[in-house]
Amino acid sequence: MHTRLYKESLSLHTDFYQITMAYAYWKSGKAEQEAIFHLYFRKHPFQGGFTITCGLEDVIDYLQHFSFTDADLHYLATLTGNDGKPLFEEAFLNFLKNSCFSCDLMAVPEGSVVFPNEPLLRIQGPLWQCQILETPLLNIMNFQTLIATKAARIRLAAKEDPVLEFGLRRAQGIDGGFSASRAAYIGGCDGTSNVLAGKLLGIPVKGTHAHSWVMSFDSEAEAFQAYAQAMPNNCILLVDTYDTIEGVKKAIQVGQALRARGYELAGIRLDSGDLAYLSIEARKLLDDAGFHNTKIVASNDLDEHIVESLKQQGARIDIWGIGTKLVTAFDQPALGGVYKIAALKDTQTGKWEYKIKLSEQSVKVSIPGKLQVKRFYDASRGLYVGDMIYDELNPPTGNSFTIVDPQDPIRRKRLSNEAFESKDLLIPIFEKGKLIYDPPTLKSIRHHRQSELDKLHSSIKRFVNPHLYPAGLEKSLYHLREDLIEQLRPH
Amino acid sequence: MHTRLYKESLSLHTDFYQITMAYAYWKSGKAEQEAIFHLYFRKHPFQGGFTITCGLEDVIDYLQHFSFTDADLHYLATLTGNDGKPLFEEAFLNFLKNSCFSCDLMAVPEGSVVFPNEPLLRIQGPLWQCQILETPLLNIMNFQTLIATKAARIRLAAKEDPVLEFGLRRAQGIDGGFSASRAAYIGGCDGTSNVLAGKLLGIPVKGTHAHSWVMSFDSEAEAFQAYAQAMPNNCILLVDTYDTIEGVKKAIQVGQALRARGYELAGIRLDSGDLAYLSIEARKLLDDAGFHNTKIVASNDLDEHIVESLKQQGARIDIWGIGTKLVTAFDQPALGGVYKIAALKDTQTGKWEYKIKLSEQSVKVSIPGKLQVKRFYDASRGLYVGDMIYDELNPPTGNSFTIVDPQDPIRRKRLSNEAFESKDLLIPIFEKGKLIYDPPTLKSIRHHRQSELDKLHSSIKRFVNPHLYPAGLEKSLYHLREDLIEQLRPH
């Protein structure tokens, strides 16, 4: 969601405990202590083998507008504790009032493929700021990353066919629709039905008419004729209001009349029934009547699995309209992204202290350090071969490295600078609060996503039991983490 | 989402085909023809037995701000068809520019229990306006109704315990969080972590600290002490950063120090591990130390089923923090609400024509007429006993009625004005575009939801195989619909 859509300050678009913690840091004299936090996820969504990072542009927009208005502070001043007294001292509210975003932000560019435990964002700066930003950064990144990944999967299933995002009516709120249109376009959709996304983001908008158009006339034939009359250069007719096959026949008659006027019937749309059977029958009728270029659009609760299945059944569908299952990520409507402190600078010594969170669930143990990700690329095969998460405070030396899967330390891999090209994924976005990054256009993010997926072996992109891409901790980081776990466990 | 949050016009927050249809209606001379549309759903979410309608206040806000800005119209003017020529004539754009919302709107008040096929909204006015509003009305109502219903289920599971909505970080975008906080409060939550929802809607905000607070100190004990020092009157300590039971013991020590200062330890929070076991152990430790009033808050992927199960296991949890599963309605993240034309006024005769949509799936066949819902109430038992969907164009006479389930015509029930009280559910909101309704406060909507659920038999509120509440078509409406289906089927 672009904050330019909002009149109100969004600085209170956060969890209340971020404010109480900011206050307690301030009271404890720790507010300005320098910290490093990472935003990452632990598991790919949809039981998949890859994730597409998305949301950075909106994160940038949010951070550029981060400041507390008088109305925000007046509201906070009204809040009281269980003794009826104010929770926050006035001096703290003044501290907030005079603050603005002053952190360093590193990020993996939008549209990149990413893997569990890899920081999508790394933020470094005053502890209270890093803390208070947890919720908005997660809110933006979790959702857009989820939807871009879902769209990329649908794009893989549809192969070269156009895919249109049609989900607004079932989306989770206004920017549950708007942000989804953006992320879906990055993930591989070719257009959207969402006109606001067309206007504000330049995404191509698509659509023609609904059942109510047909129902508002005395007959389907009359409705089709009137539509072709009004919009001959954008004529896709929805044929299933009463009976699909009869509808196709009537659309063909209208197509013939259109031809006589110098236009082509652009398409027909199927929205119910057995899409495999009906598309094959409709294609025959269209072809027999000489309408080889008239496209068949299909919609009705589609997702990547149904698209794949319809293609395997030989469905003759040219354009896929995907709604609810895409914009809500229906089969997994939340990415479990987290945001964890990883290091804190000692104010006396100026040295970084590593930070780690234990858990009864080992997958929930966090990763300490100032993390960066090095990705290795086999140019001869055109494939990514592995990612090394390493600690910039203690970077590995030499040209050959071992990575270890933190969930399964038996899984290790050697990666060498001699055999492969490599690059660091996190790049600078803000420096001390100043934007030093020029965000790419939506189109170029979309291209980047395609080029990224082209560099993944097909087995990683499979929907069922995908191959596990090697992404692990650099060996000395792995050992550092094990040592910290050992130290913190109660003995 | 309140449109006062938005700078931009939201009149293009709609599907593109609504605009192409509006244009085609206008070209066909039908734009101003008077129509009736209903917004309804076909199936309760979550395999439940009831639904809580929600979203009307935001619908009102949207309709009051409905108008096309110059920027909207400039954008529409740039759109072209497959021949490269503009899709819309300038005269149409001028028509849009000079228009404002002028329909009648009837609605079931927010927080009411509703059932399949019952209109939550009924809109009557110029065809083009009714049409173009389909998407925003569905977008708002589908999501908020879904979340209010999910929250009401969690409220039922938690019985009298406070329930807090903690979902913002995993919500679907900014108002995927904001609207969810509103709907969750209506549905029965007692507070939210979302500070913006606190500021703008007056919902109580709750929360204290996260793991990162604990990790930013050298030890958990030091972290707890510092928090109690900073915020003695709102002190709930998160005890599972390293080891839950050890964490509880340290919290008790801090609680003792707090007491010495005249404060009480408000609570501890569990966020991982076996919540049944840990809450029982934590309660023992707290009670043994004399902290009988210190509450135990639990969070970690909870929903109504886990809350119910934890209670059955004797978990000693006082306050429930519910996040992802609530704000995304994780197990069914979209309500399949639809919006269908049901009647159109003949411009020559001034008579209403009934409209119906057929489908290969019988559940998708729409209901014609100008619909109203009469709900019957057995005052002696304090229970709702049945809902009759009837046609105001042809209302039933007499005091005794038969309702028929359109999906299963064998299911019928007689309802009589003599045995029961009754009321019509849809009430006037807008008249010819003028707001004639004074929306209740959020708190009174929340009370209304509770009083509504109190009037449903407990078997209807059961999670597994709930009893089917009798809600059907008045018999003559049922027969009208059957006749129309018969007429429209191809012979």
Side-chain angles (χ1 to χ4, degrees):
Chain A
M1 184 66 185
H2 283 241
T3 53
R4 67 173 178 267
L5 283 181
Y6 289 89
K7 265 183 192 144
E8 292 276 343
S9 157
L10 287 179
S11 298
L12 295 186
H13 170 61
T14 194
D15 284 313
F16 186 55
Y17 78 1
Q18 313 292 5
I19 314 263
T20 57
M21 278 190 280
Y23 176 70
Y25 288 133
W26 178 83
K27 285 285 283 182
S28 311
K30 292 168 70 81
E32 303 285 2
Q33 197 174 349
E34 199 174 355
I36 296 171
F37 281 71
H38 301 111
L39 186 151
Y40 61 99
F41 61 90
R42 297 166 179 139
K43 200 166 171 291
H44 292 299
F46 319 120
Q47 308 187 293
F50 68 90
T51 295
I52 303 291
T53 184
C54 190
L56 177 59
E57 192 179 338
D58 287 358
V59 164
I60 292 171
D61 194 36
Y62 185 86
L63 296 176
Q64 286 190 296
H65 292 87
F66 180 74
S67 79
F68 293 90
T69 63
D70 287 340
D72 292 338
L73 300 173
H74 285 154
Y75 169 67
L76 295 179
T78 65
L79 299 174
T80 53
N82 45 31
D83 57 358
K85 294 192 183 142
L87 279 178
F88 307 112
E89 290 176 19
E90 205 181 322
F92 171 69
L93 300 178
N94 283 329
F95 168 78
L96 291 184
K97 182 171 179 160
N98 296 317
S99 62
C100 62
F101 177 64
S102 65
C103 302
D104 293 345
L105 181 74
M106 306 274 288
V108 181
E110 290 193 90
S112 303
V113 292
V114 285
F115 299 91
N117 298 312
E118 298 181 351
L120 312 187
L121 303 179
R122 182 181 91 198
I123 187 163
Q124 176 173 343
L127 179 55
W128 80 274
Q129 282 189 33
C130 294
Q131 184 69 65
I132 218 164
L133 292 169
E134 172 176 22
T135 311
L137 299 187
L138 283 171
N139 175 260
I140 294 168
M141 294 295 297
N142 269 333
F143 180 53
Q144 293 201 32
T145 298
L146 182 76
I147 301 302
T149 306
K150 175 56 90 176
R153 291 166 60 85
I154 293 167
R155 158 55 52 230
L156 287 169
K159 302 193 198 298
E160 304 300 316
D161 301 345
V163 174
L164 307 176
E165 176 268 304
F166 280 170
L168 184 54
R169 68 189 54 200
R170 306 268 166 84
Q172 298 205 344
I174 289 175
D175 75 294
F178 186 81
S179 302
S181 297
R182 178 182 190 274
Y185 184 67
I186 287 173
C189 288
D190 299 277
T192 178
S193 66
N194 186 334
V195 193
L196 196 61
K199 175 187 161 194
L200 297 178
L201 303 175
I203 302 174
V205 292
K206 299 288 173 194
T208 58
H209 75 80
H211 297 114
S212 49
W213 172 265
V214 176
M215 292 157 74
S216 80
F217 287 83
D218 287 338
S219 74
E220 193 174 43
E222 205 183 316
F224 286 177
Q225 284 153 19
Y227 198 82
Q229 190 65 37
M231 203 157 257
N233 58 352
N234 178 38
C235 193
I236 298 179
L237 299 171
L238 176 62
V239 293
D240 74 333
T241 305
Y242 304 115
D243 179 278
T244 302
I245 297 299
E246 294 300 313
V248 176
K249 292 178 186 165
K250 287 180 191 122
I252 288 170
Q253 286 163 12
V254 169
Q256 283 154 345
L258 268 175
R259 270 197 184 158
R261 295 168 57 205
Y263 293 102
E264 271 293 302
L265 178 64
I268 62 163
R269 180 159 72 98
L270 310 174
D271 190 41
S272 59
D274 189 309
L275 295 177
Y277 168 78
L278 290 170
S279 65
I280 291 167
E281 295 300 305
R283 186 74 266 161
K284 269 191 214 144
L285 290 168
L286 288 166
D287 285 349
D288 289 353
F291 287 90
H292 302 282
N293 294 323
T294 296
K295 304 291 186 196
I296 298 178
V297 187
S299 49
N300 192 17
D301 273 345
L302 301 177
D303 65 12
E304 67 270 40
H305 304 291
I306 298 175
V307 170
E308 192 174 59
S309 159
L310 283 167
K311 279 192 163 280
Q312 278 164 0
Q313 294 170 63
R316 297 296 303 274
I317 293 165
D318 302 296
I319 300 174
W320 305 85
I322 320 264
T324 313
K325 300 275 172 82
L326 167 55
V327 302
T328 65
F330 200 88
D331 56 335
Q332 187 194 320
L335 179 72
V338 295
Y339 181 91
K340 295 290 170 196
I341 189 169
L344 193 62
K345 197 178 254 180
D346 188 298
T347 44
Q348 259 115 55
T349 65
K351 280 182 68 176
W352 285 103
E353 293 168 0
Y354 290 106
K355 293 293 175 183
I356 191 168
K357 176 197 172 291
L358 301 191
S359 174
E360 316 249 335
Q361 295 150 271
S362 75
V363 69
K364 283 193 169 186
V365 177
S366 67
I367 301 168
K370 181 178 183 171
L371 302 182
Q372 175 60 281
V373 183
K374 192 181 285 298
R375 175 162 295 166
F376 292 84
Y377 175 62
D378 182 343
S380 66
R381 299 167 67 209
L383 291 178
Y384 291 144
V385 290
D387 288 5
M388 173 173 79
I389 303 171
Y390 70 97
D391 176 17
E392 285 189 355
L393 301 175
N394 180 29
T397 53
N399 273 322
S400 185
F401 314 98
T402 300
I403 59 171
V404 186
D405 182 339
Q407 291 322 308
D408 179 5
I410 303 295
R411 288 192 70 236
R412 292 173 183 229
K413 181 171 175 133
R414 282 193 76 75
L415 293 164
S416 125
N417 276 334
E418 279 143 22
F420 308 120
E421 296 174 15
S422 73
K423 66 173 177 190
D424 280 345
L425 295 191
L426 288 157
I427 61 171
I429 310 295
F430 284 91
E431 210 174 83
K432 306 263 173 248
K434 189 173 168 288
L435 183 65
I436 54 168
Y437 174 71
D438 186 20
T441 63
L442 218 51
K443 266 198 181 151
S444 75
I445 298 172
R446 196 164 174 273
H447 282 298
H448 175 60
R449 185 263 318 144
Q450 184 60 54
S451 117
E452 287 277 284
L453 284 178
D454 290 344
K455 296 191 190 79
L456 286 191
H457 191 276
S458 58
S459 60
I460 295 162
K461 295 180 277 194
R462 196 166 59 203
F463 296 151
V464 178
N465 290 330
H467 183 69
L468 213 56
Y469 177 83
L473 305 188
E474 185 274 326
K475 203 166 123 186
S476 65
L477 175 61
Y478 174 76
H479 288 303
L480 167 77
R481 184 172 180 261
E482 291 297 298
D483 291 347
L484 287 170
I485 293 172
E486 190 55 31
Q487 286 168 32
L488 283 168
R489 287 256 185 252
H491 295 283
Chain B
M1 185 66 184
H2 282 241
T3 54
R4 66 173 179 266
L5 284 179
Y6 290 88
K7 265 182 193 144
E8 293 276 343
S9 154
L10 287 179
S11 297
L12 296 187
H13 171 59
T14 193
D15 286 313
F16 186 54
Y17 77 1
Q18 312 291 7
I19 313 264
T20 57
M21 278 190 281
Y23 177 69
Y25 287 133
W26 178 82
K27 285 286 282 181
S28 309
K30 292 169 71 79
E32 304 284 2
Q33 198 174 348
E34 198 173 355
I36 295 170
F37 282 69
H38 302 111
L39 187 149
Y40 61 100
F41 62 89
R42 297 164 179 139
K43 201 168 170 290
H44 292 300
F46 319 120
Q47 307 185 294
F50 69 88
T51 295
I52 303 291
T53 185
C54 190
L56 177 60
E57 192 178 340
D58 288 358
V59 163
I60 291 171
D61 194 36
Y62 185 86
L63 296 175
Q64 285 189 297
H65 292 87
F66 180 75
S67 79
F68 292 89
T69 63
D70 287 340
D72 292 339
L73 301 172
H74 285 153
Y75 168 68
L76 294 179
T78 65
L79 299 173
T80 53
N82 47 28
D83 58 357
K85 293 191 184 145
L87 279 178
F88 306 113
E89 288 175 22
E90 206 183 321
F92 171 68
L93 300 177
N94 283 329
F95 168 78
L96 291 184
K97 182 173 178 159
N98 297 318
S99 63
C100 62
F101 177 64
S102 64
C103 301
D104 293 346
L105 180 75
M106 305 274 287
V108 181
E110 292 193 89
S112 303
V113 292
V114 285
F115 299 91
N117 298 311
E118 297 180 353
L120 312 187
L121 302 179
R122 183 181 91 197
I123 187 164
Q124 175 173 343
L127 179 54
W128 80 274
Q129 282 189 33
C130 295
Q131 184 68 65
I132 217 165
L133 292 169
E134 173 177 21
T135 311
L137 298 187
L138 283 171
N139 175 260
I140 294 168
M141 295 294 297
N142 269 332
F143 180 53
Q144 293 200 33
T145 298
L146 183 76
I147 302 301
T149 306
K150 174 56 90 173
R153 292 165 60 85
I154 293 168
R155 160 56 50 229
L156 288 170
K159 302 193 197 299
E160 304 299 317
D161 301 343
V163 174
L164 307 175
E165 176 269 305
F166 280 170
L168 184 54
R169 67 190 54 200
R170 305 268 166 82
Q172 298 206 342
I174 290 174
D175 75 296
F178 186 80
S179 302
S181 297
R182 177 182 191 276
Y185 184 68
I186 289 173
C189 288
D190 300 277
T192 178
S193 67
N194 187 334
V195 193
L196 197 61
K199 176 188 160 193
L200 296 178
L201 303 176
I203 301 173
V205 292
K206 299 289 174 191
T208 58
H209 75 81
H211 297 115
S212 49
W213 172 265
V214 176
M215 293 158 73
S216 80
F217 287 83
D218 288 336
S219 74
E220 194 175 42
E222 206 183 315
F224 285 177
Q225 283 154 19
Y227 197 82
Q229 190 65 36
M231 203 157 256
N233 58 351
N234 178 37
C235 195
I236 298 178
L237 299 170
L238 176 62
V239 293
D240 74 333
T241 304
Y242 305 115
D243 179 276
T244 302
I245 297 300
E246 294 300 313
V248 176
K249 292 178 185 164
K250 289 181 189 121
I252 288 171
Q253 286 163 12
V254 169
Q256 283 155 343
L258 268 175
R259 272 200 182 158
R261 294 169 59 207
Y263 292 102
E264 269 295 301
L265 178 65
I268 61 164
R269 180 159 72 96
L270 309 174
D271 190 41
S272 59
D274 190 308
L275 296 176
Y277 169 78
L278 291 171
S279 66
I280 292 168
E281 294 301 304
R283 187 73 268 162
K284 269 190 213 144
L285 290 168
L286 288 166
D287 285 349
D288 289 351
F291 287 90
H292 301 283
N293 294 324
T294 297
K295 304 291 185 195
I296 297 179
V297 186
S299 49
N300 192 20
D301 273 344
L302 301 178
D303 65 11
E304 66 270 40
H305 303 291
I306 298 177
V307 170
E308 192 174 59
S309 158
L310 283 168
K311 278 191 164 280
Q312 278 164 359
Q313 294 170 63
R316 297 295 304 273
I317 294 164
D318 304 296
I319 300 174
W320 305 86
I322 319 266
T324 314
K325 300 277 171 79
L326 166 56
V327 300
T328 65
F330 200 87
D331 56 334
Q332 188 194 318
L335 178 72
V338 296
Y339 182 90
K340 296 289 171 197
I341 188 169
L344 193 61
K345 196 178 258 182
D346 188 298
T347 44
Q348 257 114 57
T349 65
K351 281 184 66 177
W352 286 101
E353 293 169 359
Y354 290 107
K355 294 293 174 182
I356 190 168
K357 176 196 172 291
L358 300 192
S359 175
E360 316 248 337
Q361 295 149 267
S362 75
V363 69
K364 284 192 167 187
V365 176
S366 66
I367 302 167
K370 179 176 184 173
L371 303 182
Q372 176 58 281
V373 183
K374 192 180 287 295
R375 175 162 296 166
F376 291 85
Y377 176 63
D378 181 342
S380 66
R381 298 168 66 210
L383 292 178
Y384 290 144
V385 290
D387 287 5
M388 172 174 79
I389 303 170
Y390 70 97
D391 177 18
E392 285 189 354
L393 301 175
N394 181 29
T397 51
N399 272 324
S400 185
F401 315 98
T402 301
I403 59 171
V404 185
D405 181 338
Q407 293 320 308
D408 179 4
I410 301 297
R411 289 192 69 236
R412 293 175 182 227
K413 181 173 173 130
R414 282 195 74 76
L415 292 163
S416 124
N417 276 336
E418 279 144 23
F420 308 120
E421 296 174 17
S422 73
K423 65 173 177 191
D424 281 345
L425 296 190
L426 288 156
I427 61 170
I429 311 295
F430 284 91
E431 209 175 84
K432 305 264 172 249
K434 189 173 168 287
L435 184 66
I436 53 168
Y437 176 71
D438 187 20
T441 63
L442 218 50
K443 266 199 183 151
S444 75
I445 297 171
R446 195 163 175 275
H447 282 298
H448 176 59
R449 185 262 319 143
Q450 184 60 52
S451 116
E452 286 278 284
L453 284 177
D454 289 344
K455 297 192 189 79
L456 286 191
H457 191 275
S458 58
S459 61
I460 295 163
K461 294 180 277 194
R462 195 167 59 203
F463 296 151
V464 178
N465 290 329
H467 185 68
L468 213 56
Y469 178 83
L473 305 187
E474 185 273 326
K475 201 166 126 188
S476 66
L477 175 61
Y478 174 76
H479 288 302
L480 167 76
R481 184 170 179 259
E482 292 297 298
D483 291 348
L484 287 169
I485 293 171
E486 190 56 31
Q487 284 168 33
L488 283 167
R489 287 253 186 255
H491 295 285

